[in-house]
Amino acid sequence: MDKARKILLAALFGASLAVAACSDSANAQRGDPTEEQTIGLSNEDSNVDLLAHQNRELEVRVGTLEEQAKTVRDASMPIGDLLLWLIAMTGLAAGIFAMLRLRAIRAEIDGLKARLQKRSGSSSVENELNMLKGQVSNMSADYREFKDSVSGKLAAGGGAAVPPQLPASKDVIGEKYVAVDTSKAPHQAKTVAAPAQPPPPPDDSAFLQKMATAFNAIESPEDIAAFETEFAPQAFTNDRNSGVANIFEDRRARFWLVKSPTQQGKAYLIPGSDAKRNWLKFKDKVPDHPFEHHFAFSAGGSLRLVKPAIVAEGGEGWELRTLGQIEGVQ
């Protein structure tokens, strides 16, 4: 800016010299030296005043230009502030997205914890059931041992009264069997009724036949609703990522799990309502077929249940015990 001011002053100075030269030449043409000298002096004074005035005007103009330049610089500052605001808003949006994602991950973790707690609860029930089964088995073994001991002593003593000798560790169970009167005559001892045989294990064959018939007769949503009302199945599914052997509860009923009406911890697994509605997706036999772990396949025109798969509660949820069979996979 100082350099431009110097250039302007030099130009004004040159212009003043040119004006003075023109004034001298005009006086020389008039021919009066005294008058020319007086006029030249007056012209020189007026030129100096003019130059001073022009110099002041230039200074004012230069100041105006400087103020305009400053105004332009100040006007450019909001652009930088706008960039900073844009960067700040971008960071804020990224923070909000990360917070929402973190909340979703926490919800998934809570769901997994709930599932683990549910599985641990079923595992504790199974452990208690196993303990009860063990106690029953021990009681049966103690009874057989007591019976064999009494029979042997009766045979060895020729029918004489022989008090039963029970192991010290079986006091409680022995007291139950001491009530049997073995002090009578041999012919009377032999008339003691034999202990009742345990009842045969419960049979679900009729229930399974009824369930298979009802399943194969499903043709409409009303039939599905009627099946769910009668047999109260639970909806399960699986996926290839966690393995088709692992089934878990889900609203989409790829499988139906129907608990045994007679045996605790036992259930029957059959294709569910989702498989019944969308069987065209499962008709082709492909690797990692969703039903290949629990069922054997046979060809057929449509989905038909031959026999359900048998599953039992285990430490990792429902585990396969007996393979089922379905028709309709090519």
Side-chain angles (χ1 to χ4, degrees):
M1 188 63 69
D2 293 337
K3 186 175 180 181
R5 184 182 295 176
K6 291 178 180 180
I7 293 172
L8 288 174
L9 292 175
L12 290 174
F13 184 73
S16 64
L17 292 178
V19 171
C22 291
S23 300
D24 292 339
S25 62
N27 291 329
Q29 291 176 0
R30 291 176 183 175
D32 187 359
T34 304
E35 186 178 359
E36 288 173 0
Q37 184 176 5
T38 303
I39 294 173
L41 289 173
S42 64
N43 288 335
E44 184 176 359
D45 293 338
S46 62
N47 289 334
V48 172
D49 295 337
L50 179 61
L51 287 174
H53 179 69
Q54 292 177 350
N55 188 20
R56 285 193 299 272
E57 290 182 351
L58 287 173
E59 290 179 352
V60 172
R61 187 170 182 80
V62 168
T64 303
L65 291 174
E66 289 179 349
E67 291 179 356
Q68 292 178 354
K70 183 178 180 182
T71 303
V72 171
R73 286 196 304 272
D74 294 340
S76 64
M77 289 179 65
I79 297 176
D81 294 340
L82 180 61
L83 292 175
L84 292 175
W85 273 102
L86 289 175
I87 294 172
M89 293 300 292
T90 303
L92 180 60
I96 293 173
F97 176 78
M99 182 179 66
L100 294 176
R101 181 57 181 165
L102 180 59
R103 184 176 298 176
I105 292 173
R106 287 180 177 176
E108 293 178 1
I109 292 174
D110 292 339
L112 290 175
K113 287 182 178 178
R115 288 175 57 187
L116 289 175
Q117 291 177 355
K118 185 175 181 180
R119 288 185 177 181
S120 64
S122 62
S123 177
S124 63
V125 172
E126 182 183 4
N127 292 334
E128 293 179 1
L129 180 62
N130 292 333
M131 291 176 61
L132 291 174
K133 289 181 179 178
Q135 292 177 3
V136 172
S137 178
N138 292 335
M139 292 176 64
S140 300
D142 292 338
Y143 172 74
R144 286 193 298 269
E145 183 181 353
F146 170 74
K147 180 181 177 182
D148 295 339
S149 176
V150 172
S151 300
K153 290 181 179 180
L154 287 174
V162 179
Q165 300 295 327
L166 297 177
S169 61
K170 306 293 188 298
D171 293 338
V172 177
I173 300 175
E175 290 175 1
K176 297 180 180 179
Y177 300 115
V178 169
V180 178
D181 187 5
T182 60
S183 62
K184 297 181 180 180
H187 66 280
Q188 292 178 346
K190 293 180 180 179
T191 61
V192 174
Q197 295 295 327
D203 186 9
D204 289 340
S205 57
F207 174 78
L208 296 179
Q209 182 63 35
K210 181 180 179 182
M211 182 173 63
T213 302
F215 178 85
N216 294 329
I218 292 177
E219 295 182 354
S220 65
E222 290 77 13
D223 296 335
I224 292 176
F227 185 93
E228 292 176 339
T229 301
E230 182 174 2
F231 296 96
Q234 298 178 10
F236 280 76
T237 190
N238 61 357
D239 58 61
R240 296 179 181 178
N241 294 329
S242 60
V244 294
N246 180 30
I247 61 173
F248 50 89
E249 291 190 60
D250 192 80
R251 289 182 300 176
R252 180 185 57 182
R254 178 173 292 173
F255 297 93
W256 271 336
L257 187 141
V258 181
K259 293 186 177 181
S260 170
T262 59
Q263 301 182 50
Q264 186 177 4
K266 180 180 179 182
Y268 303 101
L269 193 70
I270 62 176
S273 58
D274 180 70
K276 196 72 175 177
R277 294 190 188 99
N278 305 298
W279 183 244
L280 290 178
K281 296 192 303 183
F282 308 107
K283 192 175 182 64
D284 297 330
K285 187 175 182 180
V286 296
D288 295 337
H289 194 283
F291 293 90
E292 70 173 1
H293 179 78
H294 298 89
F295 297 95
F297 298 150
S298 57
S302 59
L303 174 61
R304 182 176 177 273
L305 176 64
V306 179
K307 65 176 182 178
I310 301 176
V311 294
E313 285 185 309
E316 299 296 329
W318 291 97
E319 299 175 354
L320 180 66
R321 292 291 182 266
T322 305
L323 199 68
Q325 184 177 357
I326 56 176
E327 291 183 0
V329 181
Q330 303 295 338

